[in-house]
Each structure stands twice: as C-alpha cells, then as structure tokens.
C-alpha cells in the first residue's frame, strides 16, 4: 500500500537520550498519527496529500510529547499563606488536621464559578504545553460534593476541548473528608460510592478513579469500597499511596489492578513486588517531596530491581506542589531521587502513558500513535533535565499540528 502523508518532518535528532545514539530521522504524519518514522535515507516514496507541508527540524532533538500523568490542575485560590506557615514550622499534616490544607482549597473551589476555574487553570495548562506536554491527567477532589466535583471535571473536559492537549479526567472524591461529614467518614464514602461516582461517571466525566489512602485521609478499608464502586462501573483505578506513611495502600491498589500507585516514599519491598506482579506503574512526584521537605525517598532501587516502571509528574496542586514545569520535575527526579536522564525521559513519556492506560496512543514515537511530539533546541537530551529555569523547547506538535513554537517550512 502506498504511503500518503499530510506532513513530513526532516532533519530531526533522535535517540535514547545519550549523544552516541543520535541519528537524523524523518517523521511522516497522516490523519494526526505517525505514519512513518525512520532514518531519512530510508524514507520510501510517498504520495503528498493536497495540503502537504514539509518542515525542517534543523537538527532539533525530537521526543514524544510529554505526558503529565498526575495533576490537580483545576482549583480555586492558592495556598501561599500555607507556604508561609510551613516555612515557620507547621507541617502539612498539622495544617490538614486543623482544617486547612486541602480543605481550604475545597472552600475556594466551591465558591469559584466554572468560568473562574477555567480562567485560572488555562494559563497553567498553557505553561505545561509550552514545555512539551501533549497529554495531561486532571483530577477532581477539591469539591467533595457532587456539584463541585462535577464542576471541576467539566472544567477539565473544557480545557481539553479549548486547548491543544489531550485531557484525561480522574475522579478523586475521596481526597479529604468534607467538613459537613466531620466524624462520619464512612457515610461520606457511602455517598461517594453510591451517589457521586455513578452520577459523574454517567455524565461521561470520569476516565479513572483515585483515592488518597493515608492516615490524614482514608483508610485501606474505605479506599477498598471506592475501588469496588469503580470496578462496578468498569473504571480503572489509581491511588495516592504511601506518601506520608505506610498503611498498606499500594498493596490494596495492586489487588484491584491499579494503573498506578503514586508518591510511594514509604513503600517497602513487599509493596514493590506486588506492584511488579500487578503491572502497576510507580508514579514518582519529586516536586511534592521537595516542597514538603521530605527526607524519605521512594525506593527507586527496588523499582529497578523488580522491573516496576517509574513515571514522573509535577503533581501540580496548590498545596504540596505548585509546580508547572515538567523539566524542573525531571531535574528533581534525577537530583533528589537518583533517576538517570533516560529514566526521567521514559518517566515523562512511555511510562506516564502507561500510568494512564494509554500507551497505545501516547508516549512513544511509533507508527500508529498520535503524532504528538516535541522539538528541543539542545545538544543532547540530558539538557532537558539539566537546565533549571529555562526551557529549550523549540516546538510542540500535537496530532500533527504545531501548537507551540515555530518550525521552518522547507522545500528540500
Ligand atoms: O498529591 N496527597 C494528596 N493530594 C495532593 C495534595 C493536595 C493538596 O495539598 O492540595 C498531592 O500531594
Ligand atoms: Fe496528587
């Protein structure tokens, strides 16, 4: 069958992140998908679609579009005041127990209009796109009532329609206990399972279900009820697990075939072994570790030994990670957690896509995947994790269209 292309990108550098693997490649796009990729010299004869365009990558490095697999990007207000309190010595848990933390963002998010939430989130998302992001997961969890959770998820869906990025939504109704259910956590869990989740899933607002399983949030037994409700609706699950302590969260997640267990600073070898058996991705969130000035690092060596894929993400949220830079997050993953540059890149592409259950669409440069890729003005891919406070992102292409930066058209 003859190859027909809408666009051809030539003169791109490609490799696994180290200079010695660099090779100039070409990448052909048809119908928003990668239709051909390989060394320029091997490009076969092809037919040009009517609007065919050819671009000169000018030796830029190409990577798959970055995949942000864990964010709380939609929220009202911010928590700069809490930042001050933590600097003055209060801990994240102290603040949460005193009714602040997540609950202060819940109050602000309940008050905010849908338009206001969109207006606040859109510039955040544009910043992620400008650093190479082409797919992002956005969680609810600052509403904790059906009306506000739905509002957050609708805003997330709207962001995906209005901005050039693919949005996956995650329902995190079990993020914290809302004030009106104080002392009645099981009743709140019942509300989430019996009312909120089926309602929101029925409105097509939920791609996956998450739970914050922690001493200051929900127990293993409560989390399991949420997972059972998700299973009844056929929705995949993931979990905020082992962030501040180990209460058996990730092992529960693996029993429900979770796509990912996230944070994992306090995970032990039995947890890691269970994740390996279940194929659960470890999502590492070094910016939250950094902002909370944690000292216990996730067991990276055990993930390697047990073959558990490690994804990384900003965790963008107003409390523990007011972070809008995937590249800074990659640097933190390397500097604070000891990942190699190659692991950090895979963590932001292939493994992040897997953490979303979307590895067939995103995260690799292969024929048939979305034509989502980023071009970088660097001498080697190590520079992506190396510079702090600068973005060498030259262009971002999503579904074959340039959505950020510029690229040279060429006749060559
Ligand atoms: O991933 N751990 C719980 N959830 C978020 C924090 C949310 C917040 O503090 O607003 C996290 O760190
Ligand atoms: Fe989070």
């Amino acid at each position: 069958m003859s190859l027909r292309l809408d666009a051809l990108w030539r003169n791109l550098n490609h490799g696994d992140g180290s200079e010695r693997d660099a090779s100039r490649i070409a990448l052909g796009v048809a119908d928003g998908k990668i239709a051909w990729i390989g060394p320029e010299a091997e490009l076969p004869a092809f037919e040009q679609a009517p609007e065919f365009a050819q671009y000169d990558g000018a030796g830029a490095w190409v990577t798959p579009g970055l995949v942000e697999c864990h964010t709380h990007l939609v929220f009202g207000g911010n928590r700069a005041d809490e930042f001050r309190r933590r600097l003055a010595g209060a801990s994240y848990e102290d603040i949460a127990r005193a009714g602040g933390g997540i609950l202060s963002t819940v109050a602000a998010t309940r008050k905010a209009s849908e338009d206001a939430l969109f207006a606040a989130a859109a510039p955040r998302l544009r910043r992620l796109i400008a650093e190479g992001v082409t797919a992002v997961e956005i969680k609810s969890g600052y509403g904790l009532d059906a009306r506000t959770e739905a509002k957050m998820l609708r805003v997330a869906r709207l962001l995906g329609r209005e901005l050039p990025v693919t949005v996956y939504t995650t329902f995190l109704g079990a993020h914290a206990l809302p004030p009106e259910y104080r002392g009645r956590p099981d009743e709140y869990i019942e509300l989430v399972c019996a009312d909120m989740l089926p309602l929101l899933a029925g409105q097509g607002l939920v791609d996956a279900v998450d739970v914050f399983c922690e001493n200051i949030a929900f127990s293993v037994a409560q989390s399991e009820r949420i997972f059972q409700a998700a299973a009844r609706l056929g929705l995949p699950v993931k979990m905020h697990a082992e962030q501040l302590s180990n209460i058996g969260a990730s092992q529960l997640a693996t029993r429900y075939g979770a796509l990912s267990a996230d944070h994992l600073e306090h995970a032990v070898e039995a947890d890691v072994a269970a994740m390996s058996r279940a194929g659960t991705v470890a999502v590492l969130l070094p910016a939250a570790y950094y902002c909370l000035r944690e000292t216990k690092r996730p067991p990276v060596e055990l993930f390697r030994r047990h073959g558990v894929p490690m994804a990384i993400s900003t965790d963008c949220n107003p409390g523990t990670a007011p972070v809008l830079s995937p590249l800074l997050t990659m640097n933190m993953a390397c500097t604070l957690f000891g990942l190699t540059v190659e692991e950090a890149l895979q963590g932001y592409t292939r493994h992040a896509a897997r953490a979303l259950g979307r590895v067939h669409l995103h995260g690799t440069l292969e024929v048939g995947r979305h034509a989502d890729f980023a071009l970088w003005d660097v001498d080697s891919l190590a520079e992506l994790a190396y510079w702090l406070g600068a973005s060498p992102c030259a262009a971002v292409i999503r579904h074959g269209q340039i959505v950020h930066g510029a690229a040279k058209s060429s006749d060559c």
Side-chain angles (χ1 to χ4, degrees), residues 70 72 79 92 101-102 105 142 175 212 240 243 263 285 288 315 317-320:
H70 180 137
H72 310 249
R79 306 236 290 276
Y92 182 66
I102 293 174
T105 300
Y142 292 124
H175 194 193
F212 186 18
H240 281 72
Q243 179 185 14
H263 288 286
L285 303 165
D315 192 12
N317 74 70
T320 64

Side-chain angles (χ1 to χ4, degrees), residues 12 62 67 167 233 262 273 301-302 384 408:
L12 300 168
V62 62
V67 177
V167 170
L233 294 164
D262 304 33
E301 195 44 55
L302 290 176
L384 301 196
K408 251 188 4 191

Side-chain angles (χ1 to χ4, degrees), residues 22-314:
S23 60
R24 293 287 163 108
I25 62 156
L27 191 158
V29 176
D31 300 324
K33 300 252 165 59
I34 298 175
W36 192 86
I37 182 163
E40 289 223 22
E42 293 171 20
L43 181 67
F46 63 90
E47 194 187 324
Q48 300 185 356
E51 304 289 309
F52 176 77
Q54 183 160 270
Y55 300 97
D56 179 5
W61 283 75
V62 62
T63 65
L66 303 185
V67 177
E68 269 289 348
C69 65
H70 180 137
T71 84
H72 310 249
L73 195 87
V74 173
F75 55 83
N78 70 58
R79 306 236 290 276
D81 59 326
E82 181 182 316
F83 173 62
R84 282 184 198 274
R85 282 160 69 197
R86 280 194 279 112
L87 288 177
S91 76
Y92 182 66
E93 283 137 301
D94 293 342
I95 293 169
R97 288 210 168 88
I102 293 174
L103 290 186
S104 65
T105 300
V106 169
T109 307
R110 285 179 174 181
K111 260 192 244 140
S113 70
E114 212 152 317
D115 287 351
L117 288 177
F118 180 89
R124 292 178 203 132
L125 190 48
R126 282 196 199 98
R127 279 184 177 259
L128 297 180
I129 295 167
E131 274 197 19
V133 170
T134 53
V136 63
E137 183 248 7
I138 301 178
K139 300 176 195 294
S140 68
Y142 292 124
L144 313 182
D145 60 33
R147 192 180 68 89
T148 317
E149 291 288 303
K151 181 170 74 177
M152 291 183 72
L153 293 169
R154 278 196 303 270
V155 170
R157 286 275 191 248
L158 187 63
L159 288 164
R161 287 196 296 275
E162 297 289 318
L163 274 67
V165 63
T166 303
V167 170
Y168 295 108
T169 58
T170 297
F171 173 66
L172 177 55
H175 194 193
L177 188 62
E180 58 276 18
Y181 278 83
R182 205 174 182 142
R184 298 183 293 138
D186 289 319
E187 283 174 49
Y188 179 63
I189 292 293
E190 181 57 23
L191 176 81
V192 170
C193 295
D195 295 346
M196 279 162 70
L197 178 54
L199 177 77
L200 302 180
Q203 293 173 5
L205 291 171
V206 180
D207 295 326
V209 176
D210 194 351
V211 182
F212 186 18
C213 183
E214 185 59 67
N215 283 318
I216 57 166
F218 296 98
S219 68
V220 167
Q222 290 160 344
S223 303
E224 181 157 21
R225 288 173 61 197
I226 304 274
F227 281 180
Q228 285 165 345
R232 282 195 292 276
L233 294 164
L235 292 168
V237 297
K238 54 179 81 179
M239 185 171 253
H240 281 72
E242 269 76 75
Q243 179 185 14
L244 309 167
S245 62
N246 189 322
I247 60 168
S250 51
Q251 299 228 18
L252 170 69
T254 61
R255 288 202 293 281
Y256 283 81
L259 291 172
S260 68
D262 304 33
H263 288 286
L264 297 169
E265 279 81 350
H266 292 261
V268 298
E269 184 152 16
D271 304 326
V272 177
M275 289 173 66
S276 171
R277 285 193 297 274
T280 297
V281 176
V283 176
L284 307 184
L285 303 165
Y289 167 95
Y290 166 79
C291 291
L292 293 179
R293 291 192 279 184
E294 295 286 351
T295 50
K296 187 154 176 36
R297 304 196 297 174
V300 164
E301 195 44 55
L302 290 176
F303 295 134
R304 287 188 186 122
R305 208 179 312 141
H306 287 267
V308 173
M310 291 179 281
I312 12 176
S313 192
T314 56

